[in-house]
């Protein structure tokens, strides 16, 4: 008698699905999250529409990399269709994500030869610029600023705090060559930078650490705290020029060449984030267009939603920017 498990690639009685069938984009931090991502890459079947989608994205990006503008990608599908799984695999393949145990993303996914060839070309083109960088996440539905929500996703991928003020401080410490000294001072005091950053404006330990690394920053601890509040303010919204400035600073800080890398920004559940908000969809469109103008064709935006862009009047506003459909 032939059993069902005999005709399957894997015996379902010997393994489980750690993500319960729901892929969630974002930066893995815990051992469990790394294990889930490894499963999602190993279980990905790069055939049919999944292979076609990856092919379409890579071909479009590489074809337009030397042109003035890079078309954005819209990935759509009903709930549970696998669109989040696809874009999570795309993000990991883009940078060939390294795992804590030494495994690499491209070694875990079984890919067709043509997609492997596109990845090799992506690597080659990346060597001409600042390498490759990828950020993926879900925009905060409770947030009022599209720009700050996008920056928080990029901050997390760059190893920075997701909070705007905290990330700006860490970027400044890196740029000024003070980060290691500040960390060491805090450790000597029995603290850590990560534990003090949430108390950015009131932490005497952080103020003292910065003063120890740069005595000219302020004349006293209270003055240093006031300077931190003034130089790295908390923001509830951000205008376009400042958004572009901070995004550029962050991207340049990801590599030793200080160049803009070949960048992938994945915004999962973008349709849910926009909802019926005309102002929000207009801000998404304007910021994506501004990035294409500022960084030419280096940045690829990938948005995802359950509906195609032509399905609602709100989504139709994105049609001329998100022109690649998966």
């Amino acid at each position: 008698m032939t059993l069902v498990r005999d005709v399957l690639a894997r015996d379902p009685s010997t393994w489980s699905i750690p993500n319960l069938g729901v892929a969630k984009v974002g930066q893995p931090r815990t051992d469990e999250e790394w294990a889930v991502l490894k499963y999602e890459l190993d279980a990905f079947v790069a055939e049919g529409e999944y292979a076609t989608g990856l092919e379409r994205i890579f071909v479009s990006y590489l074809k337009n990399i030397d042109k003035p503008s890079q078309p954005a990608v819209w990935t759509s599908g009903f709930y549970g269709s696998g669109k989040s799984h696809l874009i999570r695999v795309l993000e990991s393949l883009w940078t060939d994500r390294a795992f804590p145990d030494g495994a690499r993303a491209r070694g875990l996914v079984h890919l067709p030869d043509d997609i492997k060839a596109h990845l090799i070309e992506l690597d080659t083109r990346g060597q001409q610029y600042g390498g490759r960088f990828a950020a993926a996440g879900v925009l905060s539905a409770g947030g009022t600023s599209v720009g700050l929500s996008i920056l928080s996703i990029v901050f997390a991928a760059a190893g920075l705090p997701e909070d705007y003020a905290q990330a700006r401080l860490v970027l400044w410490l890196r740029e000024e060559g003070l980060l290691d000294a500040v960390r060491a001072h805090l450790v000597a005091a029995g603290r850590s930078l990560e534990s003090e950053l949430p108390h950015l404006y009131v932490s005497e330990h952080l103020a003292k650490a910065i003063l120890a690394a740069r005595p000219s920053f302020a004349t006293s601890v209270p003055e240093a705290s006031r300077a931190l509040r003034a130089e790295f303010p908390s923001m509830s919204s951000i205008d376009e020029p400042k958004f572009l400035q901070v995004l550029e600073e962050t991207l340049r800080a990801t590599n030793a060449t200080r160049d803009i890398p070949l960048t992938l920004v994945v915004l999962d559940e973008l349709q849910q984030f926009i909802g019926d908000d005309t102002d929000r969809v207009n801000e998404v469109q304007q910021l994506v267009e501004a990035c294409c103008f500022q960084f030419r064709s280096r940045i690829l935006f990938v948005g995802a939603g359950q509906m195609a862009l032509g399905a609602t009047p709100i989504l139709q506003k994105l049609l001329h920017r998100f022109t690649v459909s998966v």
Side-chain angles (χ1 to χ4, degrees):
M1 177 186 297
T2 300
L3 302 178
V4 171
R5 67 187 181 195
D6 296 330
V7 298
L8 298 176
R10 296 178 178 177
D11 184 345
S13 67
T14 63
W15 63 290
S16 60
I17 302 177
N19 66 357
L20 301 180
V22 180
K24 297 180 179 180
V25 301
Q27 300 303 309
R29 293 183 175 88
T30 65
D31 291 342
E32 291 76 13
E33 289 171 344
W34 280 108
V36 167
L37 178 57
K38 181 174 285 190
Y39 160 79
E40 289 170 344
L41 293 172
D42 182 58
F44 184 74
V45 180
E47 298 178 4
E49 288 303 309
Y50 291 114
T52 301
L54 289 175
E55 173 80 9
R56 190 173 299 154
I57 292 169
F58 286 124
V59 167
S60 175
Y61 182 80
L62 293 169
K63 181 178 68 176
N64 290 284
I65 200 169
D66 292 320
K67 295 183 179 179
S69 182
Q70 185 66 243
V73 176
W74 184 260
T75 304
S76 62
F78 58 85
Y79 180 79
S81 62
K83 58 184 180 297
S84 294
H85 194 177
L86 172 68
I87 57 182
R88 194 168 201 208
V89 170
L90 170 66
E91 177 210 2
S92 294
L93 292 176
W94 190 276
T95 58
D96 194 15
R97 187 195 294 273
F99 283 73
D101 63 0
R104 306 291 300 217
R106 296 181 191 175
L108 296 171
V109 184
H110 307 282
L111 295 170
D113 290 341
D114 53 351
I115 294 178
K116 291 180 181 178
H118 297 322
L119 291 172
I120 292 173
E121 184 178 355
L122 183 69
D123 292 348
T124 301
R125 299 307 301 268
Q127 292 171 5
Q128 300 170 6
Y129 301 104
R132 293 160 289 111
F133 175 78
V138 178
L139 294 175
S140 174
T144 58
S145 170
V146 176
L148 289 177
S149 295
I150 294 175
L151 285 175
S152 70
I153 292 173
V154 176
F155 288 154
L160 298 167
E162 295 183 25
D163 177 78
Y164 176 83
Q166 297 174 31
R168 293 300 311 283
L169 172 60
V170 175
L171 277 173
W172 178 77
L173 292 174
R174 280 186 187 175
E175 184 69 23
E176 297 298 314
L178 305 175
L179 185 58
D180 290 342
V182 169
R183 285 189 181 277
H185 189 280
L186 287 169
V187 169
R191 305 280 176 157
S192 70
L193 181 60
E194 290 69 26
S195 66
E196 297 305 308
L197 280 174
H199 315 290
L200 176 60
Y201 305 131
V202 297
S203 170
E204 291 188 2
H205 294 283
L206 180 58
K208 289 177 179 178
I210 294 175
L211 284 174
R214 174 164 291 180
S216 62
F217 182 74
T219 59
S220 65
V221 169
E223 184 181 331
S225 296
R226 289 192 293 270
L228 288 172
R229 185 182 296 274
E231 293 296 324
F232 309 102
S234 179
M235 308 277 278
S236 60
S237 63
I238 188 170
D239 59 26
E240 183 180 301
K242 191 66 175 179
F243 167 81
L244 293 173
Q245 174 197 332
V246 176
L247 179 59
E248 181 170 349
E249 290 175 358
T250 305
L251 293 178
R252 291 189 184 278
T254 61
N255 61 86
T257 67
R258 306 291 295 173
D259 200 353
I260 301 296
L262 304 187
T263 300
L264 170 71
V265 178
V266 175
L267 307 176
D268 198 12
E269 299 184 13
L270 181 54
Q271 178 190 342
Q272 292 92 317
F273 173 76
I274 292 171
D276 297 323
D277 192 326
T278 301
D279 292 337
R280 187 166 280 185
V281 74
N282 287 339
E283 189 175 354
V284 169
Q285 177 185 342
Q286 291 165 7
L287 290 182
V288 172
E289 288 184 351
C291 288
C292 291
F293 177 80
Q294 177 88 357
F295 308 111
R296 294 179 62 83
S297 56
R298 302 276 186 95
I299 296 185
L300 172 64
F301 281 90
V302 176
Q306 294 185 22
M307 296 181 180
L309 288 183
T312 70
I314 291 290
L315 291 179
Q316 287 173 10
K317 294 177 178 292
L318 300 176
L319 274 171
H320 79 286
R321 175 50 56 193
F322 289 78
T323 57
V324 180
S325 177
V326 175

